[in-house]
Amino acid sequence: MAPLPHRPDAAPPARIGLDRAEAVVVERYARLVRLAHLVLPPALGRHRRVLLAHGVVQRALPGLTTGRGQVPVPDGSTDPVGYAWVRGQVLSAALAFEHRPRLWPRRLPPPRALRPGLPAVWGLRFFPRAGGTEELALDRVLTEVSGPVRAAFALDALEELGTEDVAALLAAAGVADPEAALKAAAGVRARTGEAAGVLLASQEFDPCQVQTRPTDLLSRRRKGRLVGAGLVAVAASCALAVSGPAPVPGPEVSEADGRGGVAPVAEARGGTPALNPALLGRTDAAQWADTARVDFTAWPARGGRTEDTELLGRALRAWSSPEAAGVKLARSRTTPVVPPAGPPRLLYAGDVAGAAVVLLHDGARAARYAEPLNGSSPPSLEVARTDEADVTTAAALVVSRTESGVRFLLAPWVSEAGTRDLLRPGGDARKLRVDEDGVTEAVAGPPVAGAACERWPVVRLRSSSRIVEDHAFLVTDLGELTAAHLSYTPLPGSGAKARAPREATGEAALAAWARVGCRLAGLERSGVRSVNTWDFAEQALPEEAGRAVWGCTRVSTWRGPGHVLVHLRPESGRAAPVRLVGESGPTAACSRFGQHLVASTAWRAPSGRWYALAAGSREVRGLTVSGHERERGRTAAVRTDGEPDPRVTGHLPGGDQLTELEYR
């Protein structure tokens, strides 16, 4: 999508002719609709936002003046002045939807969004096609900022205008503080980098390429019956007025309508299969012990309300169209929230901690629908990625999160469950009570962001011997539907082969995690699949100050890319601080696809002298610390005159060199 020529010295006219404006709208319609869609408030919902974006552009034409003689020459060339005028009209109209009168309810769209207008659609809902994970992440960022910030970001990244031009356009559109909007938009641009324009040009933000879904078929059917009954009553009244009193048969009311509730989705003729509770997948209760695919597909349907078709229907409709169902939506980062393509699998339906809960799985995602039994708040829907889950990452789902703690629904292959404090390796695990459906008692959650990290509860699970022998592992809650799996890779041994990650249940693993466990804070709702701590080197500290272990903690996401923290842990007790010496991401470092690593840090001995410390992973044969000669081996300690700022290069077999991770 090439940018239009822009002339900052040629301000758009106060008004242009109708023919000229129409030519600009037709020529650049898709671009203008995309701009309007980006600026309109996300709270309107995807369907209304798509229609309003088209309506804003179509109503951008001026009055009835034809403006003959101002029509662009008919050679297809662009009219930058006319486009600038129309763009300003579109921008002003889209920003106007952000304004709410004083005391206007926050749960309602702005007044302008409630006005009827064209285009209008009956019976269908429109949604832009889903993009990739980067587009979804950008969309999430844009929903958190105001309309002026979205406008500034779009004019910068999509229209490629300069700062002064953007500020002038925002001021002309009625933005009170264009400079603040530009500053906030620069922060959004910094998070997306040079790819911002490419992302905004994708189908995720294109309201001209949409997919369709039906509206709530049952609600439509019920309303149609009510309208029909009203029409019959009107006709009867008219007949009575003409011919006098006569018995008129009333409309028949079905049993479902007589209850005043919504009929089950299964009764909807011609309904979407994904919305039919009767077509929900249900796995045999014993399949988990007789399959090579031990993941969510092996979970049977459990709970006391698995036959409650009304509850299941509401959960399916909520996943299919959260806006239409009026649910509060949450998702893990990079998780698409498009409706399931076919009937999902039922994992659980029952009452937990004062809410009716339904857990569903569509093969790549898990969804939790919850509605309070007392109706104190709207229903909620949470969706999380689960693609390529295994015996550990598919071992537990959060079925309830309340002030009293978190309750998990455990996999059918979990034979034993307990909880322990990750920060106290010498403590004993406490057994968790689990009901007959696999729901645990409440487990205390981790410390909230900003609070003192004095404990970190984790759940210790053991798989049944029917699928694996003596396999225990740890998972922890990071604020998402899925639990994160914790593992540990010990120091290199004397053998030639690298060690593989193992479960974080042994003495060395628990001791390492006790020192770095608080680093899990801040990872909430970031799509974490697993976290592994790898001790890649051990070093004797200068001046006989003891020993220290170099470690790398890798946070792996369901999407694939990971984030790593490189640290130095002096072995002088749990109270000794852990020194963070490197941080990077997204990166493959500290995984099986990034097994080579070097790191360095400045260290001050108890005597007050400064040293540059460096270490490398198993394959490193020598180290060169900046300003000093190469040293053999995998560790180095170089005394310096003052506090150093070391840089280290590792030397691998065959002559390859390895540099340390940069902070990013």
Side-chain angles (χ1 to χ4, degrees), residues 91-161:
L91 187 65
S92 298
L95 284 171
F97 283 89
E98 193 88 1
H99 302 148
R100 296 170 181 265
R102 189 180 179 186
L103 303 180
W104 187 265
R106 292 293 302 173
R107 62 183 181 85
L108 291 181
R112 288 178 60 96
L114 298 177
R115 299 176 188 172
L118 295 176
V121 177
W122 172 258
L124 288 176
R125 300 194 69 81
F126 288 164
F127 309 99
R129 295 183 177 274
T133 54
E134 290 83 3
E135 290 88 343
L136 289 170
L138 175 57
D139 180 58
R140 182 177 181 179
V141 172
L142 293 178
T143 61
E144 298 171 353
V145 299
S146 66
V149 177
R150 290 192 301 274
F153 177 71
L155 292 171
D156 172 31
L158 188 64
E159 296 289 292
E160 299 184 2
L161 299 181

Side-chain angles (χ1 to χ4, degrees), residues 212-227:
T212 62
R213 289 289 186 276
T215 55
D216 190 328
L217 298 176
L218 293 177
S219 176
R220 225 166 68 193
R221 179 180 172 190
R222 186 160 55 99
K223 291 176 182 177
R225 287 175 174 174
L226 292 175
V227 171

Side-chain angles (χ1 to χ4, degrees), residues 228-597:
L231 292 176
V232 169
V234 170
S237 300
C238 293
L240 285 172
V242 174
S243 59
V248 179
E252 294 184 3
V253 182
S254 70
E255 181 182 354
D257 291 333
R259 290 194 302 265
V262 178
V265 179
E267 296 179 13
R269 298 282 192 266
T272 306
L275 298 178
N276 192 338
L279 299 180
L280 280 172
R282 297 173 186 250
T283 302
D284 183 77
Q287 181 172 318
W288 64 268
D290 194 24
T291 179
R293 184 177 176 179
V294 185
D295 58 13
F296 289 109
T297 62
W299 280 38
R302 290 173 287 176
R305 302 183 67 172
T306 55
E307 303 302 326
D308 188 340
T309 55
E310 291 190 0
L311 172 63
L312 299 180
R314 292 194 295 271
L316 289 169
R317 289 192 292 275
W319 195 357
S320 177
S321 181
E323 297 92 344
V327 302
K328 181 180 179 181
L329 177 65
R331 64 174 179 179
S332 302
R333 191 176 300 175
T334 75
T335 299
V337 292
V338 294
R345 189 180 306 275
L346 177 62
L347 305 183
Y348 181 85
D351 295 340
V352 182
V357 179
V358 178
L359 290 176
L360 302 168
H361 186 253
D362 72 346
R365 298 169 299 166
R368 180 185 67 204
Y369 172 81
E371 54 183 40
L373 297 176
N374 59 7
S376 58
S377 59
S380 63
L381 177 73
E382 183 170 2
V383 186
R385 290 181 65 162
T386 60
D387 38 325
E388 298 185 10
D390 55 23
V391 66
T392 55
T393 51
L397 288 175
V398 173
V399 71
S400 170
R401 180 177 283 110
T402 62
E403 293 182 355
S404 61
V406 178
R407 289 174 171 83
F408 296 92
L409 178 66
L410 302 182
W413 56 83
V414 172
S415 61
E416 182 182 316
T419 182
R420 65 175 304 139
D421 187 351
L422 189 63
L423 306 186
R424 290 166 176 77
D428 295 329
R430 179 181 66 84
K431 186 175 181 179
L432 271 180
R433 295 192 302 273
V434 182
D435 69 17
E436 59 183 7
D437 290 323
V439 177
T440 70
E441 63 177 304
V443 179
V448 296
C453 184
E454 298 177 349
R455 59 180 179 81
W456 197 284
V458 294
V459 177
R460 187 180 189 273
L461 304 175
R462 182 180 297 278
S463 299
S464 170
S465 58
R466 296 175 65 183
I467 61 171
V468 64
E469 183 179 356
D470 195 23
H471 177 220
F473 53 96
L474 298 183
V475 297
T476 189
D477 172 41
L478 291 180
E480 301 187 69
L481 181 55
T482 55
H485 174 219
L486 305 183
S487 58
Y488 171 72
T489 304
L491 286 163
S494 57
K497 293 184 178 180
R499 293 190 172 183
R502 58 192 63 183
E503 302 303 347
T505 54
E507 184 177 344
L510 292 174
W513 268 109
R515 303 286 299 282
V516 301
C518 287
R519 294 291 179 181
L520 294 171
L523 299 179
E524 295 84 356
R525 307 208 65 79
S526 55
V528 177
R529 173 193 178 105
S530 60
V531 188
N532 179 63
T533 286
W534 170 35
D535 289 344
F536 65 89
E538 186 178 27
Q539 181 175 19
L541 296 174
E543 301 182 11
E544 298 183 353
R547 304 188 68 82
V549 174
W550 294 81
C552 179
T553 297
R554 176 178 176 82
V555 181
S556 297
T557 62
W558 287 97
R559 177 187 165 208
H563 188 87
V564 299
L565 304 170
V566 183
H567 39 81
L568 180 69
R569 306 194 313 269
E571 291 186 332
S572 54
R574 180 177 177 272
V578 174
R579 183 191 301 266
L580 183 64
V581 301
E583 183 175 1
S584 185
T587 177
C590 306
S591 73
R592 62 191 180 108
F593 301 108
Q595 299 184 10
H596 305 310
L597 183 68

Side-chain angles (χ1 to χ4, degrees), residues 23-153:
V24 170
V25 169
V26 171
E27 182 182 6
R28 289 287 173 168
Y29 184 79
R31 186 188 191 98
L32 290 165
V33 172
R34 189 187 295 265
L35 176 63
H37 183 262
L38 284 166
V39 177
L40 284 167
L44 295 173
R46 293 182 295 172
H47 172 75
R48 183 181 285 137
R49 197 171 164 203
V50 167
L51 294 182
L52 285 175
H54 287 271
V56 163
V57 175
Q58 293 176 19
R59 290 192 291 272
L61 299 179
L64 297 177
T65 15
T66 60
R68 303 210 177 266
Q70 300 182 25
V71 181
V73 291
D75 61 356
S77 62
T78 304
D79 176 12
V81 176
Y83 177 76
W85 187 90
V86 173
R87 180 178 57 197
Q89 297 296 106
V90 169
L91 187 65
S92 298
L95 284 171
F97 283 89
E98 193 88 1
H99 302 148
R100 296 170 181 265
R102 189 180 179 186
L103 303 180
W104 187 265
R106 292 293 302 173
R107 62 183 181 85
L108 291 181
R112 288 178 60 96
L114 298 177
R115 299 176 188 172
L118 295 176
V121 177
W122 172 258
L124 288 176
R125 300 194 69 81
F126 288 164
F127 309 99
R129 295 183 177 274
T133 54
E134 290 83 3
E135 290 88 343
L136 289 170
L138 175 57
D139 180 58
R140 182 177 181 179
V141 172
L142 293 178
T143 61
E144 298 171 353
V145 299
S146 66
V149 177
R150 290 192 301 274
F153 177 71

